[in-house]
Amino acid sequence: MLHADIVIIGAGPAGIAAAHTLAEAGKRPMVIDEARYAGGQIFRQAEPLIDELDQPHRYGLDGRRAKAFRRRLDNLTGKVTFRSDTLVWSIEQNKLQLVRGDRIEDVRFEQIVLATGAMDRILPFEGWTIPGVFSLGAAQIALKAQASLIGRKVVFVGTGPLLYLVAYQYLRSGADVIEVLDSNDPLSNVTALPDLGCGGLTFLKGLYYLAHLKVLGVSCRANAVPVRAEWQDERVGALVYRHKGREILVSCDAVASGYGLKPETQLADMLGLDFKFDGSSRQWLPAMDDDGRTSVDGVYLAGDGSLVRGSQVAELAGELAALSLLADQGMADPDRQTMVKRKIARANRFRNALDDRIFPFPHTLAAGLPDDVVVCRCENLDARTIRHTVHRFAEVDVNRVKAFCRLGMGRCQGRLCGSAAAEIIAASGECDISIVGRLRGQAPVKPVSLSVLAGGRL
Amino acid sequence: MTMFDVAIIGGGLAACSAALHLRLKGASVILLERGRCGAQASGVNYGGVRQQGRHEAELPLARRSREIWSRLETLIGSNCEFESTGHLKLARHDDDMVELQAYRDMAEGYGLHLDILGRDQLHKDYPFIAQSYAGASLCRQDGQANPRLVAPAFAYRARQLGAVIHEGCEVVGASRNSQGFELSVAGHDQPYRARRLINTAGAWGAKVAGWFGDRVDEQVMAPNMCVTEPIPPLIGPNLGVCGGSIYLRQSRNGSVIFGAGLGWADTDRLRARPCAQTTRQAAKAAIAMVPSLSSVLVIRTWTGIEGRMADGLPVVGPSPSTNGLIHAFGFSGHGFQLGPGVGAVLAELSLDGETPTPIEGLSFSRCHQGPSSASQS
């Protein structure tokens, strides 16, 4: 079995910042990531041949930060052990179970930093499973990793900073951005502005994306919600949305949709970390203190995998988690810790306003989804079935609802449908969303074939 | 405070079935469950409804239970996806075939009919099974059901018929006095009272028995279960093998469910979790049995806490020390198929003091540790 004193799960901004900080202190962490190249979602890299293509807008206005990230990575060469293309499929106390290609191996570790990142929060609508309807994250992967677009004529629908960023990236990469439909009204919420000022450059970038889209004549609508995607031939051909009480049909050949992000918390769950309910994002999140420490000794959290606050906070949180880990080994640097925490606190004021007040998850839309809309696509369960289960069994615990009607039992294990399903359960059971609980994380984190599991030495 | 005819500690399948059968006999009943009905072993087990291979001491109970399984729809309003898919027990070699034939002859005496398949017949009828097996024994009457649904459905029906079922209600102590039993519940000042008491506390059954001086050693086990993505219909009967290393079935939705070995169990924290090493061994064993599963994806693993007695058989029967107390725990992995029947037997034992179903081989006294210190009452 392999051994590493410190492992870092995730090679995005948080994981690499943690690796950098640890390497500076003379440690040699093992960094594990599912992707072939480091970068996480924001700085995702393509295969070398694609990477060399001229794609100036791949990273939006973060091109310079992407370059800095790569310099940092280059500096880590030889100082960390990097295991790319590697899925952590299970974790038990001090042992990680990995899959790389068709090989399986275990790694024993002493300390761990979880920087597992986040994925799109999905709001189902009629036809969201039609080919050509993507998540915003998937639309970005196509662009960054494969230099491809999900379509020529794309409608963007959802809410959050990512909505405008991806629309901008697509526009600058040659796509015809038909419409940008936001379920919130970001420009109207002036009360949040003082806090938004704390975001400085980040805030200006956001405004720039929005302004740029508008200047180039892209229709950006507030308070617009998807009603249904319609087929044309073998894929999506139109999106119907509701705006100011009217239903409007736009033709397109692709739809990108996302309603903010949800942390990937399966490993935190399997490690037995305490979770707490975060009222503003309406999600259960692994509990951590201001320094990135968790309820389990030797386990640290950083980045969007613990609390979605964007890549700049993620970098700082990665640094902080590493500093806390070092401090716990008698290598404290209190001045630096204080400084990083101050920066995080300042940036958090902005992100809190952005995520919680400007772009809240449209939970009433989720709660009110029409009965016929498929919510759990793996098990083909519609909203009606979920509501019926809640009523028939007088049950609002999501794991019990799962047991009775197969919600979240398929290939994605509820990663896609979990957010919306929880809202439907809470609304039809007339209880607070926190009572619904959270779907338990169970191995494998992502599907693994029997032959891979059976392979290798046992 | 109400004096119930019968109180039940635990809300697993046997307990919920007992509550229902007690109501059908007109007795007043209260069931107290620490968590949720059917949340532990009853709800997260493999889902096999198997008589074949049961120990002779269990067979009469298994036969009684199977009869109830066949009329779930009328009894509880849902068949809980019960299907007689059959159970095929594979022989690794000719010695196993001898054993299967001997078992067949014994089981016939209990009215359980098994068909022995030779090597050629086995591979002709079930071409997806690995060529290595020497033959098999088929029990057409056996099958499978959805464990997540069964105990809650029994509880639901028992409630409809007037059983009092309290979930999230932990019994922290119980004692016998001249009138009957008193049960102390966490967070309640007043004890619950009943004339008779059924101990169906599962992995915590020995602890409850200990309150009355019935001392017995009960281990804890957490069977390690795996499920795949749905695949087209392939398998048909539930599969097992002589030696018992792996068991495997395809459920109605197409997923293949298999188990082998044990996960981790923590009885104090009420937590159990799968073990990656066991999952890997199970995958290897599953491929050895059905090679075409090799490329199929495992999407989830899970486990739950189950009591296990030293001889691998449950305890079902009256307390050796305390009048009116009936034990049924330590099901050792057999509780799902047996559960409905055990409930019927418990209703008879607690109300009539006897049952027509022979259960002597499962008596408490067979694993009793030394003399009891509790007062006879």
Side-chain angles (χ1 to χ4, degrees):
Chain A
M1 191 187 304
L2 294 167
H3 182 272
D5 287 334
I6 305 170
V7 291
I8 299 169
I9 312 298
I16 293 302
H20 187 77
T21 307
L22 291 166
E24 278 177 342
K27 302 287 182 189
R28 194 191 167 89
M30 176 186 281
V31 183
I32 300 169
D33 197 280
E34 257 187 290
R36 188 161 301 171
Y37 305 101
Q41 177 69 336
I42 179 156
F43 302 133
R44 185 177 292 278
Q45 299 181 51
E47 294 293 323
L49 276 174
I50 295 174
D51 202 49
E52 286 160 17
L53 296 174
D54 186 28
Q55 275 188 279
H57 305 293
R58 193 164 32 157
Y59 300 111
L61 295 179
D62 286 317
R64 193 178 288 177
R65 287 183 62 219
K67 285 204 180 92
F69 180 86
R70 289 204 192 179
R71 274 199 302 279
R72 208 173 212 195
L73 266 185
D74 291 340
N75 287 335
L76 285 176
T77 309
K79 295 178 192 156
V80 303
T81 312
F82 189 52
R83 291 193 110 64
S84 60
D85 250 342
T86 301
L87 168 72
V88 182
W89 70 271
S90 178
I91 189 166
E92 291 164 0
Q93 287 157 334
N94 284 64
K95 204 163 81 175
L96 286 171
Q97 281 85 27
L98 309 180
V99 180
R100 181 166 200 260
D102 58 2
R103 288 173 53 92
I104 199 154
E105 65 184 357
D106 294 352
V107 179
R108 193 166 282 286
F109 64 91
E110 307 302 324
Q111 288 88 30
I112 187 166
V113 179
L114 296 177
T116 44
M119 63 174 286
D120 291 273
R121 221 167 158 182
I122 303 295
L123 179 74
F125 50 88
E126 189 185 336
W128 69 286
T129 57
I130 293 177
V133 181
F134 289 77
S135 69
L136 288 171
Q140 268 197 323
I141 291 172
L143 189 67
K144 292 179 184 175
Q146 294 150 8
S148 305
L149 302 174
I150 59 168
R152 292 270 168 213
K153 296 159 54 192
V154 187
V155 174
F156 290 85
V157 57
T159 196
L162 200 57
L163 178 68
Y164 298 96
L165 169 60
V166 185
Y168 171 84
Q169 288 168 323
Y170 264 64
L171 186 68
R172 297 300 302 254
S173 302
D176 192 356
V177 176
I178 308 288
E179 297 230 44
V180 180
L181 307 169
D182 193 327
S183 61
N184 288 300
D185 185 0
L187 290 180
S188 77
N189 197 340
V190 287
T191 56
L193 276 177
D195 285 335
L196 285 181
C198 298
L201 197 59
T202 311
F203 180 51
L204 290 177
K205 274 191 256 176
L207 282 183
Y208 177 84
Y209 295 138
L210 182 54
H212 194 100
L213 290 162
K214 289 199 162 188
V215 163
L216 290 184
V218 174
S219 153
C220 297
R221 290 188 196 273
N223 302 317
V225 299
V227 175
R228 69 179 172 277
E230 293 187 352
W231 288 90
Q232 186 178 356
D233 303 326
E234 306 263 280
R235 59 179 288 144
V236 68
L239 182 82
V240 176
Y241 66 93
R242 192 164 46 247
H243 184 248
K244 293 184 177 167
R246 287 194 308 137
E247 285 197 359
I248 300 163
L249 181 143
V250 279
S251 51
C252 59
D253 61 8
V255 175
S257 173
Y259 288 80
L261 299 175
K262 68 189 278 269
E264 293 274 45
T265 58
Q266 299 97 323
L267 294 178
D269 200 357
M270 282 183 220
L271 279 169
L273 303 192
D274 289 345
F275 275 60
K276 66 175 176 37
F277 187 74
D278 178 53
S280 56
S281 68
R282 304 175 70 82
Q283 304 183 89
W284 283 89
L285 301 174
M288 63 171 177
D289 66 11
D290 289 343
D291 296 293
R293 291 188 184 88
T294 68
S295 58
V296 175
D297 284 346
V299 180
Y300 305 83
L301 288 169
D304 284 356
S306 47
L307 177 64
V308 173
R309 286 294 177 257
S311 64
Q312 279 170 329
V313 175
E315 281 182 339
L316 293 165
E319 183 180 350
L320 183 62
L323 291 172
S324 301
L325 190 158
L326 291 167
D328 293 344
Q329 296 190 9
M331 298 168 69
D333 185 345
D335 291 347
R336 188 169 166 195
Q337 274 180 286
T338 308
M339 190 185 72
V340 175
K341 278 162 78 170
R342 197 175 295 145
K343 284 188 195 165
I344 290 176
R346 188 174 155 77
N348 265 346
R349 281 179 63 197
F350 163 68
R351 284 299 302 211
N352 287 339
L354 189 71
D355 294 316
D356 304 339
R357 282 193 269 157
I358 306 282
F359 295 118
F361 181 66
H363 63 91
T364 50
L365 283 181
L369 281 178
D371 269 344
D372 289 330
V373 170
V374 169
V375 178
C376 168
R377 67 174 179 180
C378 300
E379 296 289 343
N380 201 29
L381 280 186
D382 57 22
R384 176 186 291 109
T385 308
I386 298 171
R387 291 181 180 122
H388 175 76
T389 305
V390 169
H391 291 140
R392 160 123 208 266
F393 295 94
E395 189 58 73
V396 293
D397 174 336
V398 67
N399 286 296
R400 294 283 279 185
V401 173
K402 170 184 173 179
F404 295 143
C405 74
R406 305 195 61 86
L407 169 71
M409 277 203 171
R411 289 180 181 86
C412 90
Q413 290 292 293
R415 289 165 70 241
L416 272 79
C417 62
S419 293
E423 299 291 354
I424 292 171
I425 293 169
S428 50
E430 295 177 19
C431 73
D432 187 83
I433 181 79
S434 64
I435 309 291
V436 171
R438 60 198 175 85
L439 288 167
R440 279 187 289 269
Q442 286 156 314
V445 170
K446 290 185 184 162
V448 182
S449 75
L450 272 84
S451 62
V452 168
L453 288 172
R457 277 173 291 132
L458 286 174
Chain B
M1 195 94 192
T2 317
M3 173 68 94
F4 289 91
D5 290 328
V6 183
I8 300 172
I9 301 178
L13 177 51
C16 295
S17 170
L20 173 62
H21 283 93
L22 284 162
R23 283 306 302 143
L24 291 173
K25 284 168 154 289
S28 65
V29 54
I30 180 164
L31 181 154
L32 304 168
E33 159 60 41
R34 167 167 43 190
R36 308 300 299 272
C37 285
Q40 290 292 344
S42 297
V44 294
N45 65 73
Y46 167 64
V49 180
R50 172 176 65 84
Q51 305 164 86
Q52 166 159 247
R54 292 268 171 251
H55 190 281
E56 194 169 354
E58 286 179 312
L59 265 182
L61 196 50
R63 299 290 296 139
R64 172 111 191 244
S65 206
R66 177 60 181 80
E67 184 276 322
I68 298 173
W69 277 103
S70 66
R71 54 183 173 87
L72 280 192
E73 187 83 54
T74 36
L75 188 66
I76 57 174
S78 160
N79 76 353
C80 299
E81 299 174 20
F82 172 67
E83 280 180 276
S84 300
T85 49
H87 177 264
L88 192 64
K89 189 169 185 180
L90 301 169
R92 295 161 295 180
H93 38 61
D94 292 342
D95 290 351
D96 282 350
M97 285 301 279
V98 175
E99 228 174 80
L100 288 179
Q101 279 152 2
Y103 187 87
R104 191 255 322 258
D105 296 342
M106 183 276 287
E108 198 72 45
Y110 291 87
L112 179 65
H113 180 72
L114 306 174
D115 293 315
I116 299 291
L117 311 183
R119 185 186 294 269
D120 293 345
Q121 190 69 41
L122 171 69
H123 297 296
K124 180 169 159 286
D125 291 353
Y126 306 100
F128 57 88
I129 287 174
Q131 288 298 317
S132 57
Y133 296 99
S137 167
L138 175 66
C139 179
R140 295 179 199 276
Q141 230 192 28
D142 283 348
Q144 53 177 275
N146 183 340
R148 297 183 298 275
L149 305 179
V150 186
F154 268 94
Y156 187 81
R157 184 77 183 123
R159 254 198 193 117
Q160 279 185 327
L161 294 180
V164 178
I165 295 181
H166 290 324
E167 295 177 283
C169 186
E170 182 179 4
V171 178
V172 293
S175 61
R176 178 90 163 89
N177 59 28
S178 54
Q179 275 95 51
F181 294 86
E182 283 197 357
L183 285 76
S184 320
V185 167
H188 271 251
D189 296 340
Q190 289 291 318
Y192 289 101
R193 295 194 169 86
R195 293 182 186 87
R196 322 262 159 71
L197 178 63
I198 292 174
N199 167 20
T200 35
W204 300 269
K207 185 177 157 191
V208 171
W211 294 339
F212 299 91
D214 292 345
R215 290 191 299 119
V216 67
D217 190 31
E218 182 183 21
Q219 302 293 314
V220 164
M221 61 189 265
N224 199 89
M225 303 303 314
C226 312
V227 62
T228 71
E229 61 187 331
I231 59 170
L234 171 73
I235 291 173
N238 304 1
L239 303 179
V241 61
C242 292
S245 59
I246 168 114
Y247 41 102
L248 184 151
R249 70 180 174 98
Q250 185 170 22
S251 70
R252 187 186 282 180
N253 82 316
S255 291
V256 175
I257 297 166
F258 61 98
L262 302 175
W264 313 98
D266 178 343
T267 36
D268 296 330
R269 294 180 64 201
L270 279 172
R271 270 180 71 108
R273 57 188 172 77
C275 167
Q277 188 73 1
T278 310
T279 297
R280 292 178 57 190
Q281 276 157 355
K284 204 169 193 170
I287 294 171
M289 186 181 258
V290 182
S292 55
L293 291 179
S294 170
S295 59
V296 176
L297 296 173
V298 172
I299 59 173
R300 182 172 68 256
T301 59
W302 76 94
T303 187
I305 295 176
E306 161 85 325
R308 187 180 196 284
M309 308 312 291
D311 59 4
L313 293 175
V315 168
V316 181
S319 156
S321 70
T322 308
N323 197 16
L325 171 65
I326 325 265
H327 297 300
F329 60 85
F331 278 93
S332 312
H334 307 167
F336 188 57
Q337 193 278 340
L338 294 178
V342 170
V345 165
L346 289 173
E348 291 158 357
L349 285 176
S350 55
L351 296 182
D352 314 332
E354 57 183 12
T355 171
T357 305
I359 50 166
E360 292 71 27
L362 307 176
S363 73
F364 190 96
S365 54
R366 77 172 201 280
C367 39
H368 199 191
Q369 291 177 326
S372 155
S373 59
S375 58
Q376 305 280 322
S377 47

